[in-house]
Amino acid sequence: MLATSRVSTLTLQVAKQAVRVAGQRQAALSAVRRRENVSVRSIQSVAQTDRDTITRLLYSIGTKREVERHLRIFSSSSHPSQPAKFAVIKVGGAVLDQIDELALSLSFLYRVGLYPVVLHGAGPQLNGIIESEGVIPDYIDGIRVTDAKTLQIARRVFLEQNLKLVGALEKLGTRARPITSGVFTADYLDKEKYRLVGNITRVDKRPIEASIRAGALPILTSLAETPDGQILNVNADIAAGELAKELEPMKIVFLNEKGGMFHGITGEKLDVINLDEEYEQLMKEPWVKYGTKLKLREFKELLDHLPRSSSVAVISADNLQRELFTDSGAGTLIRRGYRLFKHNSIESVGADRFRQVIHDRDPEVQSGVSSVTSVLSDLQKTPYTIYGDEPLDVVAIVTRPEGEVPIMTKLLASRSGVLNNVVDNVFNAIKKDHRKLFWTAKVDDDNRSWHFERADGSFTRAGKSLFWYGVQDVAEVQKIVKDFEAKGRLERAYLPVGPSAPPQRGFSGATRSYSTFARRQVPSGSRGYATAVTSQPTSTEPKRLALIGARGYTGQALTNLLSGHPYIDLTHVSSRQLAGYPLQGYTKSSITHSNLSVEDVERMEKDGEVDAWVMALPNGVCKPFVDAIDRGAKVRSSGESSVIVDLSADYRFESGWKYGLPELYGRDSIRKSKRISNPGCYATSTQLLIAPLVKYVRHSCGPTVFGISGYSGAGTVAGTNDTDGKPTTVPKVTPESLAGGFRPYSLTDHIHEREAGCHLTSLLADPTNPIKVAFIPSVAPWFSGIISTLSVPLSEKVTARDVKALYEEKYGGEKLIHVKAGVPELSDIEGKHGWTVGGFQVHSEGDRAVVVGGLDNLLKGAATQCLQNLNLALGYDEYDGIPID
């Protein structure tokens, strides 16, 4: 997967180089044409050659079929009478600092015949100039108060940035037209309150359409004018929304540095948001707040005004092509969608509507191999569920005899269902209900790549493919397939009759292997229906986990991670306050909170009900539960205890417990352990910061670490019950209480001082001379993320380059550790599963180093590290279920 990503990235770089070459060639042709009588046809021929070359290069970021399908749809979206129907692209001011990458991405679209309407902001540039000229930016309700001087500067900055982008495009041979006025008419938003800030009342699309008809990309600013000619400042996001409402494009793209929207707890990028299905629930999630909540509300209001074929994408400039031309995308796609349904009878769907879908879309019915009547007749032979969306753009049928593996026998999608990714929405609904699934598709299926990407394995024979997910063992696949054959649940033609063909290796866009198996599998004595190479012996056996103490932020983050784990099933969740209420955020199965007593835990351990326990309890609380597990293990029939991972500080200094920081203290010992203490969040970052320099520490005056954490690190307390009477939690320290600043606390003798010093000492050649760490924590008004600054006196002189090299050598092979040159910022760590280090500096005398590191306190500082330890102790790959940033 990593190799595929690198090849795709390399191919995009090659494609962008092709854009540069094409631009140079077009510029040369234009010059020649001015001097000589060169025919228009010869120039058009060169332009067509450039387009064909770049289109072929696109095939390497996605399959040829999906690239051509998207290109065909986008190209047909516009008409000479309405040429601006493809896309509105809003460029954030920060993205303008990456002007070369942005210009290449826009030129890429121009080269394949697409004309997006580009509107840019200039907030960071404006702030820099305003501050340098002695003007203090003033905001009310998030809106920049714009007086005459600020507007004067803003107008100058907007014009400069606009011409800068136009110039960069023209340099690449891409025609672009600056449109800095005449599009937006506005009234004062609130003249007394915001001064010269506008509320758009009219959009004139004629200058935009004239630009496109002339073969130039329109490049707009967000400045507006009143009917009597007064210029007004308008927020660029708002201007882009009003522009989209007027043009009704297929795509509204917001380019930003992050490349998408991210889950506030797990840090995972949100691939797709279906507003009709998810909006209400999303707005209730505790991590959806402030800017995220505002953005979701704005996107919903915008899409409610547009056709359902329109969608919003949030993406970075360098991934724009992958977002637009592949089914998997690269950023966050936001669309209205439709509410999904699942019914166990045709009548519940509507018999006439269902028959029409079968008649119009079933390839076997259309080819005459089958009939609508026979399809309906076959459905009556076994229990089934019909999945779909309200307009029936996608309909899927899953047969599910009692005690047998389900088969998706039909997946019928309209053009709109494919274009708007409703297929994925329906398929995800099926995955929530079925842990295992088999389905079939023809080799010439237009969306064949879609099947491969969602399957764990496949087999192709005689022009047909059998796909499956949820089964990693070859022997189990063989057994299931033979059972299908014996019971006639699949046509004989789909079933393999001999050894599978060897995989054909290649990258995305090349011919797929005839036999694939996506995940590691247990080696089999006989040749199976799929083949794979195992890198190391790891288990794929499902295991059961109980979580005690799920109310806090860490419990929620761990629940979300476990929801995506391929092998660990969360079977028990204990919370005294939430007992009887359903668990939120876990999608594998429906779980209700219980209130497990010490006696319950002892009995469960004795009966072997779970394979692992996670204690997410406050310090000093979990010992009775651990003792109960120890008692139950002694009389357990298997004679083997379950694994315990304790998230509190209770066992971090105990003999018999393994301290679980895999990057520093060894993975093999964790694999062999049944009792693992999860390190503290601050302590993790502190130890990772100091470890590469441990032998250079001057012991007479040890290292000092100053740490700042988001307020989630302080934990939660019980809040008032919600309207349904359900208990709620609120932050122990609220951002409002910090009044925009941060608050130092526990200035001496913090437990993480002792924890970090104790375990770092084990890395010394002479542990009899322990390391003493000084640590000062503070809490800040952001939600999650720790930034730690290390100042360490050195026993010998080194350079900053030497220090950076030590970290690169120490952590070079670690998947969850990122070494960068600059100082890590909150955006590098918040919502990320790893630890980032950078900002390597050495005092001018060479005897003191300063290094900055950061992690998300809820993830690498807690839940992600817990899952690393669970994976190792249960025999899985260390990173199973962990998104690699």
Side-chain angles (χ1 to χ4, degrees):
M1 192 71 179
L2 183 58
T4 298
S5 175
R6 285 174 176 165
V7 170
S8 298
T9 301
L10 180 60
T11 304
L12 270 177
Q13 293 170 351
V14 172
K16 289 173 180 177
Q17 180 61 30
V19 171
R20 291 190 184 96
V21 173
Q24 294 164 1
R25 182 158 53 201
Q26 181 166 321
L29 278 171
S30 299
V32 170
R33 189 181 180 191
R34 285 194 295 268
R35 296 196 312 267
E36 303 174 12
N37 185 24
V38 180
S39 70
V40 173
R41 181 173 296 178
S42 66
I43 294 177
Q44 289 174 337
S45 176
V46 172
Q48 182 61 42
T49 300
D50 291 339
R51 171 176 173 152
D52 291 344
T53 300
I54 294 169
T55 301
R56 284 194 297 272
L57 287 167
L58 277 174
Y59 298 159
S60 294
I61 64 170
T63 66
K64 180 178 179 180
R65 282 175 177 167
E66 66 183 319
V67 168
E68 289 182 343
R69 184 177 72 250
H70 286 286
L71 189 55
R72 184 171 61 251
I73 291 169
F74 291 147
S75 298
S76 64
S77 64
S78 296
H79 184 271
S81 64
Q82 293 181 310
K85 288 287 190 180
F86 161 48
V88 169
I89 297 181
K90 185 267 175 177
V91 180
V95 178
L96 288 174
D97 291 335
Q98 308 163 18
I99 191 74
D100 292 335
E101 187 69 40
L102 173 62
L104 281 170
S105 293
L106 296 175
S107 293
F108 208 111
L109 300 177
Y110 178 85
R111 294 291 169 202
V112 294
L114 299 175
Y115 289 80
V117 180
V118 181
L119 183 145
H120 66 82
Q125 295 83 357
L126 179 58
N127 283 340
I129 294 176
I130 284 177
E131 290 171 4
S132 68
E133 296 193 10
V135 179
I136 300 175
D138 186 18
Y139 293 86
I140 298 177
D141 302 326
I143 298 172
R144 183 193 297 272
V145 177
T146 306
D147 57 18
K149 184 173 182 179
T150 300
L151 183 63
Q152 181 184 16
I153 298 171
R155 185 168 182 269
R156 185 177 83 237
V157 171
F158 273 117
L159 292 177
E160 289 174 353
Q161 295 299 319
N162 188 275
L163 291 174
K164 182 179 176 183
L165 178 54
V166 169
L169 289 167
E170 295 279 359
K171 185 178 179 181
L172 293 171
T174 297
R175 294 190 60 201
R177 179 175 293 182
I179 302 177
T180 58
S181 62
V183 173
F184 300 111
T185 301
D187 288 332
Y188 292 94
L189 180 61
D190 186 333
K191 189 174 183 179
E192 185 174 331
K193 187 175 183 181
Y194 305 116
R195 312 290 292 277
L196 300 174
V197 175
N199 177 40
I200 293 174
T201 57
R202 180 174 174 269
V203 176
D204 188 347
K205 60 184 180 181
R206 290 177 299 174
I208 297 169
E209 293 179 340
S211 173
I212 295 175
R213 291 191 185 103
L217 297 185
I219 312 298
L220 285 68
T221 69
S222 61
L223 293 176
E225 300 165 32
T226 64
D228 58 2
Q230 171 64 52
I231 296 174
L232 298 177
N233 185 25
V234 178
N235 176 274
D237 283 352
I238 293 174
E242 294 301 318
L243 186 61
K245 291 175 187 178
E246 178 65 27
L247 299 176
E248 296 188 344
M250 294 193 70
K251 287 283 184 181
I252 305 95
V253 180
F254 290 84
L255 297 182
N256 67 13
E257 290 180 294
K258 291 185 176 180
M261 298 181 69
F262 294 83
H263 194 289
I265 295 178
T266 68
E268 296 177 359
K269 183 171 62 182
L270 303 174
D271 292 326
V272 181
I273 298 174
N274 298 288
L275 294 175
D276 281 7
E277 185 79 7
E278 303 173 71
Y279 179 76
E280 293 179 2
Q281 181 58 41
L282 268 176
M283 297 300 275
K284 296 177 183 177
E285 292 290 336
W287 58 269
V288 176
K289 56 185 67 177
Y290 310 127
T292 302
K293 181 167 286 189
L294 178 62
K295 283 295 178 192
L296 285 174
R297 189 178 292 121
E298 289 175 351
F299 290 153
K300 184 176 189 305
E301 193 271 338
L302 170 60
L303 290 174
D304 282 345
H305 281 80
L306 297 175
R308 285 194 179 269
S309 57
S310 296
S311 59
V312 169
V314 182
I315 188 65
S316 60
D318 57 346
N319 276 319
L320 182 60
Q321 288 77 29
R322 189 173 286 110
E323 174 63 26
L324 293 176
F325 295 105
T326 66
D327 293 336
S328 57
T332 300
L333 175 69
I334 302 101
R335 61 195 178 204
R336 287 176 66 189
Y338 284 93
R339 293 193 181 277
L340 303 183
F341 67 77
K342 60 177 180 180
H343 296 303
N344 297 329
S345 70
I346 297 172
E347 290 71 26
S348 299
V349 179
D352 291 339
R353 296 176 71 209
F354 185 80
R355 287 176 64 91
Q356 193 65 47
V357 169
I358 300 295
H359 178 272
D360 292 344
R361 298 183 206 156
D362 192 325
E364 294 182 348
V365 172
Q366 292 179 334
S367 65
V369 174
S370 183
S371 67
V372 175
T373 301
S374 63
V375 171
L376 299 181
S377 177
D378 288 342
L379 269 184
Q380 307 308 317
K381 298 177 182 178
T382 184
Y384 64 88
T385 301
I386 302 172
Y387 295 80
D389 62 330
E390 290 175 348
L392 300 187
D393 279 333
V394 177
V395 171
I397 303 172
V398 176
T399 60
R400 43 173 184 75
E402 184 69 25
E404 296 182 29
V405 176
I407 297 176
M408 182 168 65
T409 58
K410 302 288 181 186
L411 180 59
L412 309 174
S414 68
R415 176 177 178 273
S416 175
V418 174
L419 175 64
N420 294 314
N421 290 340
V422 183
V423 178
D424 281 336
N425 208 14
V426 171
F427 190 77
N428 289 336
I430 294 173
K431 289 190 73 173
K432 287 182 180 180
D433 289 351
H434 302 290
R435 298 283 303 283
K436 302 175 183 178
L437 187 76
F438 282 66
W439 72 97
T440 59
K442 291 186 176 181
V443 169
D444 60 357
D445 189 314
D446 285 342
N447 302 306
R448 190 164 182 253
S449 63
W450 181 92
H451 299 279
F452 278 102
E453 290 165 0
R454 283 146 188 83
D456 286 344
S458 67
F459 183 87
T460 298
R461 177 183 179 273
K464 298 179 180 180
S465 296
L466 177 68
F467 298 93
W468 63 86
Y469 70 70
V471 184
Q472 279 73 41
D473 183 71
V474 174
E476 185 179 359
V477 173
Q478 290 177 313
K479 179 179 179 299
I480 292 171
V481 171
K482 288 178 180 177
D483 187 59
F484 287 161
E485 178 182 358
K487 296 180 179 178
R489 294 188 62 198
L490 283 178
E491 291 179 19
R492 184 69 185 88
Y494 281 115
L495 301 175
V497 293
S500 59
Q504 300 176 356
R505 300 191 182 278
F507 53 82
S508 177
T511 304
R512 286 279 187 171
S513 305
Y514 288 111
S515 177
T516 64
F517 205 90
R519 301 185 188 276
R520 286 177 300 276
Q521 60 198 40
V522 178
S524 173
S526 61
R527 186 78 178 272
Y529 295 131
T531 60
V533 177
T534 55
S535 58
Q536 63 177 20
T538 54
S539 174
T540 58
E541 179 186 352
K543 298 288 178 69
R544 300 153 300 170
L545 173 72
L547 171 61
I548 298 184
R551 189 189 68 169
Y553 292 130
T554 298
Q556 295 169 19
L558 182 58
T559 296
N560 284 314
L561 275 176
L562 290 170
S563 187
H565 197 287
Y567 314 120
I568 298 178
D569 294 323
L570 187 58
T571 57
H572 297 79
V573 177
S574 178
S575 171
R576 178 168 50 85
Q577 292 87 352
L578 297 176
Y581 290 96
L583 174 65
Q584 302 296 321
Y586 187 74
T587 59
K588 286 186 180 180
S589 62
S590 177
I591 297 179
T592 301
H593 287 92
S594 58
N595 181 17
L596 296 177
S597 65
V598 169
E599 292 75 21
D600 293 330
V601 170
E602 182 176 348
R603 175 190 54 76
M604 289 169 62
E605 178 67 14
K606 174 184 175 183
D607 296 341
E609 290 189 22
V610 297
D611 303 289
W613 303 81
V614 171
M615 303 292 169
L617 295 165
N619 293 343
V621 176
C622 76
K623 187 177 187 304
F625 294 99
V626 172
D627 291 345
I629 294 170
D630 289 340
R631 290 193 299 270
K634 290 179 181 179
V635 292
R636 191 169 179 170
S637 58
S638 67
E640 185 176 355
S641 172
S642 297
V643 170
I644 303 176
V645 178
D646 176 32
L647 302 185
S648 76
D650 291 8
Y651 293 94
R652 291 175 189 161
F653 307 95
E654 294 289 324
S655 61
W657 283 71
K658 175 61 183 175
Y659 187 71
L661 211 173
E663 290 83 358
L664 290 185
Y665 304 116
R667 292 168 165 91
D668 288 341
S669 55
I670 298 176
R671 287 191 181 98
K672 299 172 184 176
S673 180
K674 296 289 186 181
R675 301 290 182 265
I676 302 164
S677 59
N678 217 58
C681 51
Y682 273 128
T684 295
S685 190
T686 297
Q687 290 170 85
L688 291 171
L689 270 174
I690 297 173
L693 297 171
V694 70
K695 68 178 181 178
Y696 298 99
V697 172
R698 194 194 311 162
H699 286 265
S700 58
C701 46
T704 298
V705 175
F706 175 73
I708 305 178
S709 171
Y711 64 85
S712 62
T716 61
V717 294
T720 58
N721 291 355
D722 63 17
T723 55
D724 297 325
K726 180 181 177 181
T728 64
T729 57
V730 295
K732 187 179 294 184
V733 175
T734 64
E736 293 79 13
S737 70
L738 298 171
F742 62 88
R743 180 186 302 157
Y745 66 98
S746 297
L747 302 182
T748 61
D749 298 302
H750 193 289
I751 190 171
H752 289 323
E753 285 187 343
R754 178 187 167 209
E755 181 181 340
C758 171
H759 294 288
L760 283 169
T761 298
S762 68
L763 300 177
L764 295 173
D766 179 15
T768 60
N769 186 16
I771 292 176
K772 187 174 182 180
V773 177
F775 172 64
I776 305 99
S778 295
V779 60
W782 60 76
F783 178 68
S784 66
I786 287 175
I787 296 177
S788 302
T789 302
L790 164 69
S791 176
V792 53
L794 303 174
S795 58
E796 58 183 83
K797 291 190 176 183
V798 297
T799 66
R801 181 176 297 178
D802 295 333
V803 173
K804 184 171 184 286
L806 288 171
Y807 284 80
E808 290 173 335
E809 179 182 358
K810 180 73 174 177
Y811 299 128
E814 295 294 345
K815 292 185 179 181
L816 295 181
I817 293 183
H818 312 283
V819 181
K820 60 180 291 185
V823 174
E825 299 178 355
L826 187 62
S827 59
D828 296 317
I829 60 177
E830 189 174 19
K832 305 295 195 303
H833 291 272
W835 180 72
T836 299
V837 62
F840 306 97
Q841 296 290 317
V842 172
H843 189 270
S844 57
E845 296 183 3
D847 61 351
R848 180 171 64 89
V850 176
V851 185
V852 182
L855 51 74
D856 191 304
N857 50 290
L858 300 178
L859 299 176
K860 179 57 180 169
T864 303
Q865 191 143 265
C866 174
L867 193 50
Q868 284 180 266
N869 289 322
L870 278 172
N871 282 333
L872 291 168
L874 294 174
Y876 301 132
D877 182 273
E878 180 180 343
Y879 305 103
D880 279 340
I882 298 174
I884 304 298
D885 299 325

